[in-house]
Amino acid sequence: MRLFAVLSLALLPLSALAAKQTPGGKFWNFQSKALQSSPVKLNDASYEELTTAPRDYSAVILLTAVEARFGCQLCREFQPEWDIIGKSWTRGDRQGTTRTLFGTLDFADGKNTFQKLMLQTAPIILLFPPTTGQGAKVDAQPIRYDFTTGPQTAEQIYPWITRHLPKGPQPPIHRPFNYVRLVVVTTILLGAISFLSIAAPYLLPLIQNRNLWAAISLIIILLFTSGHMFNHIRNVPYVTPDGKGGVQYFVGGFSNQLGLETQIIAAIYGVLSFATIALALRVPRMTSSSQQQVMVFVWGAVMFGMYGFLMRVFKIKNGGYPFRLPPF
């Protein structure tokens, strides 16, 4: 009996060590670390321990290189998103029901692993499916995710991860509250309110000025009636060569147009509008009748000349147009 008791005491440490090496023991060992800080920070040894078969759990590991000396901007941009995924999963699965672990292996801590996997780029994500138990797969090789489309958010990566995990609960993504953004928005809002309260006596007369809105409306009307949107939709050239060493300002046909042509038409419309406004509003307010007569003739001549030029341009666009006004 004494011999049996001595042997039992001698084998007790070995049995405890063997229990730690079982898949279940490995999972709870890393789960306890994840509850303290998730994703679990790995090195060569812990990576080998976590990923070695048999596994009755899933392991999702980010291989990255966040230190500035490695020059991986993508690694530094994605690391906060990966931390959100790991923390969100651990927060929603503190009991380890999903049997899924998240880890991070940095190149500084896992150079041998990077060399063993022959990795030339980072970051990448490796998902190791379970080899025993529920959701086990015969092929123990990890599933790889490469960042071929640039930086990814946690919400973009999360569906890929859950799609390759065994069926079960899937804790939602939980982003921490952004207090910095709250402070910035509050500061900007208070600043805007303060500015408006101080500048209101000066801004209100300007905003309520009918002439200002009339001018803005006229500019917008002239801009769009001259073909501005046509140029943006068709992406037309500004000018084209005329075949004689010069350039063309106007091209024939209603389906063709040039950028400079639009600007010239807008200028013609602007001069005609200004002349009409001057005849309707400015000239009647003149106290001298002789000045009124002179300005009527001046603005009438301007309208006649600009309208004649507009008809000339229209004849270029439509060669069959029969009418014209001198001197064009």
Side-chain angles (χ1 to χ4, degrees):
M1 291 294 296
R2 294 185 59 185
L3 179 61
F4 179 75
V6 171
L7 290 176
S8 300
L9 291 174
L11 293 175
L12 185 60
L14 297 178
S15 62
L17 181 61
K20 290 184 179 180
Q21 299 303 319
T22 62
K26 285 197 300 181
F27 173 77
W28 292 114
N29 179 30
F30 282 99
Q31 177 68 6
S32 63
K33 295 179 181 179
L35 291 175
Q36 298 175 4
S37 177
S38 182
V40 179
K41 189 175 182 180
L42 305 173
N43 54 30
D44 285 326
S46 56
Y47 173 88
E48 187 70 21
E49 179 184 358
L50 179 63
T51 59
T52 300
R55 298 183 303 270
D56 62 349
Y57 56 85
S58 302
V60 191
I61 302 174
L62 172 69
L63 291 93
T64 184
V66 296
E67 293 188 16
R69 58 186 172 131
F70 300 129
C72 182
Q73 181 65 26
L74 180 58
C75 297
R76 293 191 292 272
E77 291 179 0
F78 179 69
Q79 189 61 44
E81 301 296 318
W82 179 249
D83 292 340
I84 289 174
I85 295 175
K87 287 180 171 61
S88 298
W89 194 281
T90 303
R91 177 180 179 177
D93 184 33
R94 301 188 67 85
Q95 303 302 321
T97 306
T98 63
R99 301 193 69 80
T100 302
L101 298 168
F102 288 81
T104 303
L105 179 64
D106 193 275
F107 180 75
D109 303 318
K111 295 181 180 179
N112 294 334
T113 302
F114 275 75
Q115 293 174 359
K116 180 180 178 181
L117 297 175
M118 294 184 292
L119 296 179
Q120 301 296 327
T121 60
I124 66 166
I125 298 175
L126 295 181
L127 191 152
F128 293 83
T131 58
T132 61
Q134 183 180 3
K137 294 186 177 181
V138 178
D139 186 7
Q141 294 301 314
I143 305 169
R144 175 169 171 164
Y145 181 90
D146 291 286
F147 291 76
T148 56
T149 58
Q152 303 285 313
T153 63
E155 289 76 8
Q156 292 173 310
I157 297 294
Y158 192 75
W160 178 86
I161 295 175
T162 56
R163 187 169 61 249
H164 292 92
L165 290 177
K167 292 183 179 180
Q170 298 176 355
I173 293 291
H174 175 77
R175 286 188 175 272
F177 188 78
N178 193 340
Y179 291 97
V180 175
R181 183 177 182 181
L182 175 63
V183 172
V184 171
V185 172
T186 304
T187 303
I188 293 175
L189 184 61
L190 293 176
I193 294 174
S194 301
F195 173 78
L196 291 176
S197 62
I198 296 173
Y202 307 98
L203 292 178
L204 283 177
L206 189 63
I207 295 174
Q208 296 173 350
N209 190 310
R210 291 185 300 173
N211 294 331
L212 174 64
W213 289 107
I216 294 175
S217 301
L218 183 60
I219 292 172
I220 294 175
I221 291 170
L222 295 177
L223 184 66
F224 286 100
T225 55
S226 62
H228 177 74
M229 287 306 299
F230 183 93
N231 293 348
H232 278 274
I233 295 172
R234 298 292 185 88
N235 195 24
V236 302
Y238 188 69
V239 293
T240 57
D242 61 357
K244 300 177 182 179
V247 294
Q248 277 186 314
Y249 301 108
F250 304 97
V251 290
F254 294 115
S255 61
N256 301 316
Q257 190 169 280
L258 300 175
L260 182 58
E261 176 183 333
T262 301
Q263 297 175 3
I264 295 174
I265 295 299
I268 294 173
Y269 286 165
V271 173
L272 290 172
S273 301
F274 188 77
T276 304
I277 294 171
L279 285 173
L281 301 178
R282 303 291 296 179
V283 174
R285 295 177 184 176
M286 292 181 177
T287 57
S288 173
S289 59
S290 60
Q291 288 183 352
Q292 283 185 339
Q293 291 177 359
V294 171
M295 295 309 298
V296 167
F297 281 113
V298 170
W299 288 117
V302 170
M303 292 183 65
F304 185 85
M306 294 306 298
Y307 193 69
F309 182 61
L310 183 62
M311 293 181 67
R312 175 60 180 156
V313 173
F314 187 76
K315 186 174 179 61
I316 296 175
K317 304 296 292 184
N318 182 11
Y321 188 68
F323 304 106
R324 58 180 292 272
L325 284 175
F328 300 100

PDB file of all heavy atoms in Angstrom, residues 6-16:
ATOM      1  N   VAL A   6       3.318   5.923  -2.761  1.00  0.00           N
ATOM      2  CA  VAL A   6       4.505   6.646  -3.214  1.00  0.00           C
ATOM      3  C   VAL A   6       4.493   6.820  -4.728  1.00  0.00           C
ATOM      4  O   VAL A   6       4.802   7.877  -5.269  1.00  0.00           O
ATOM      5  CB  VAL A   6       5.780   5.920  -2.742  1.00  0.00           C
ATOM      6  CG1 VAL A   6       7.024   6.535  -3.384  1.00  0.00           C
ATOM      7  CG2 VAL A   6       5.889   5.977  -1.225  1.00  0.00           C
ATOM      8  N   LEU A   7       4.124   5.757  -5.439  1.00  0.00           N
ATOM      9  CA  LEU A   7       4.070   5.842  -6.902  1.00  0.00           C
ATOM     10  C   LEU A   7       3.011   6.838  -7.363  1.00  0.00           C
ATOM     11  O   LEU A   7       3.202   7.571  -8.335  1.00  0.00           O
ATOM     12  CB  LEU A   7       3.782   4.453  -7.481  1.00  0.00           C
ATOM     13  CG  LEU A   7       4.909   3.427  -7.352  1.00  0.00           C
ATOM     14  CD1 LEU A   7       4.450   2.058  -7.878  1.00  0.00           C
ATOM     15  CD2 LEU A   7       6.145   3.887  -8.138  1.00  0.00           C
ATOM     16  N   SER A   8       1.897   6.869  -6.670  1.00  0.00           N
ATOM     17  CA  SER A   8       0.836   7.814  -7.039  1.00  0.00           C
ATOM     18  C   SER A   8       1.300   9.242  -6.873  1.00  0.00           C
ATOM     19  O   SER A   8       1.068  10.110  -7.731  1.00  0.00           O
ATOM     20  CB  SER A   8      -0.418   7.569  -6.181  1.00  0.00           C
ATOM     21  OG  SER A   8      -0.901   6.262  -6.381  1.00  0.00           O
ATOM     22  N   LEU A   9       1.986   9.520  -5.753  1.00  0.00           N
ATOM     23  CA  LEU A   9       2.501  10.875  -5.542  1.00  0.00           C
ATOM     24  C   LEU A   9       3.551  11.237  -6.571  1.00  0.00           C
ATOM     25  O   LEU A   9       3.656  12.385  -7.014  1.00  0.00           O
ATOM     26  CB  LEU A   9       3.083  10.984  -4.123  1.00  0.00           C
ATOM     27  CG  LEU A   9       2.065  10.930  -2.973  1.00  0.00           C
ATOM     28  CD1 LEU A   9       2.789  10.888  -1.628  1.00  0.00           C
ATOM     29  CD2 LEU A   9       1.127  12.133  -3.049  1.00  0.00           C
ATOM     30  N   ALA A  10       4.358  10.278  -6.994  1.00  0.00           N
ATOM     31  CA  ALA A  10       5.410  10.545  -7.977  1.00  0.00           C
ATOM     32  C   ALA A  10       4.835  10.829  -9.355  1.00  0.00           C
ATOM     33  O   ALA A  10       5.380  11.626 -10.123  1.00  0.00           O
ATOM     34  CB  ALA A  10       6.367   9.356  -8.041  1.00  0.00           C
ATOM     35  N   LEU A  11       3.725  10.152  -9.670  1.00  0.00           N
ATOM     36  CA  LEU A  11       3.125  10.339 -11.005  1.00  0.00           C
ATOM     37  C   LEU A  11       2.162  11.509 -11.079  1.00  0.00           C
ATOM     38  O   LEU A  11       1.704  11.868 -12.154  1.00  0.00           O
ATOM     39  CB  LEU A  11       2.380   9.048 -11.411  1.00  0.00           C
ATOM     40  CG  LEU A  11       3.256   7.824 -11.651  1.00  0.00           C
ATOM     41  CD1 LEU A  11       2.379   6.592 -11.924  1.00  0.00           C
ATOM     42  CD2 LEU A  11       4.200   8.068 -12.831  1.00  0.00           C
ATOM     43  N   LEU A  12       1.809  12.106  -9.926  1.00  0.00           N
ATOM     44  CA  LEU A  12       0.848  13.209  -9.916  1.00  0.00           C
ATOM     45  C   LEU A  12       1.310  14.404 -10.738  1.00  0.00           C
ATOM     46  O   LEU A  12       0.537  14.945 -11.542  1.00  0.00           O
ATOM     47  CB  LEU A  12       0.555  13.612  -8.471  1.00  0.00           C
ATOM     48  CG  LEU A  12      -0.528  14.690  -8.285  1.00  0.00           C
ATOM     49  CD1 LEU A  12      -1.862  14.177  -8.864  1.00  0.00           C
ATOM     50  CD2 LEU A  12      -0.678  15.044  -6.802  1.00  0.00           C
ATOM     51  N   PRO A  13       2.580  14.885 -10.632  1.00  0.00           N
ATOM     52  CA  PRO A  13       3.011  16.004 -11.482  1.00  0.00           C
ATOM     53  C   PRO A  13       2.969  15.665 -12.960  1.00  0.00           C
ATOM     54  O   PRO A  13       2.632  16.509 -13.794  1.00  0.00           O
ATOM     55  CB  PRO A  13       4.446  16.289 -11.009  1.00  0.00           C
ATOM     56  CG  PRO A  13       4.516  15.710  -9.637  1.00  0.00           C
ATOM     57  CD  PRO A  13       3.621  14.510  -9.675  1.00  0.00           C
ATOM     58  N   LEU A  14       3.342  14.415 -13.299  1.00  0.00           N
ATOM     59  CA  LEU A  14       3.326  14.030 -14.710  1.00  0.00           C
ATOM     60  C   LEU A  14       1.909  14.025 -15.260  1.00  0.00           C
ATOM     61  O   LEU A  14       1.671  14.414 -16.410  1.00  0.00           O
ATOM     62  CB  LEU A  14       3.964  12.644 -14.878  1.00  0.00           C
ATOM     63  CG  LEU A  14       5.441  12.557 -14.488  1.00  0.00           C
ATOM     64  CD1 LEU A  14       5.939  11.106 -14.656  1.00  0.00           C
ATOM     65  CD2 LEU A  14       6.281  13.499 -15.359  1.00  0.00           C
ATOM     66  N   SER A  15       0.942  13.539 -14.438  1.00  0.00           N
ATOM     67  CA  SER A  15      -0.445  13.518 -14.905  1.00  0.00           C
ATOM     68  C   SER A  15      -0.985  14.929 -15.071  1.00  0.00           C
ATOM     69  O   SER A  15      -1.751  15.207 -15.995  1.00  0.00           O
ATOM     70  CB  SER A  15      -1.316  12.722 -13.919  1.00  0.00           C
ATOM     71  OG  SER A  15      -1.300  13.354 -12.637  1.00  0.00           O
ATOM     72  N   ALA A  16      -0.571  15.837 -14.175  1.00  0.00           N
ATOM     73  CA  ALA A  16      -1.013  17.239 -14.298  1.00  0.00           C
ATOM     74  C   ALA A  16      -0.439  17.867 -15.551  1.00  0.00           C
ATOM     75  O   ALA A  16      -1.114  18.607 -16.275  1.00  0.00           O
ATOM     76  CB  ALA A  16      -0.600  18.024 -13.053  1.00  0.00           C
TER      77      ALA A  16
END
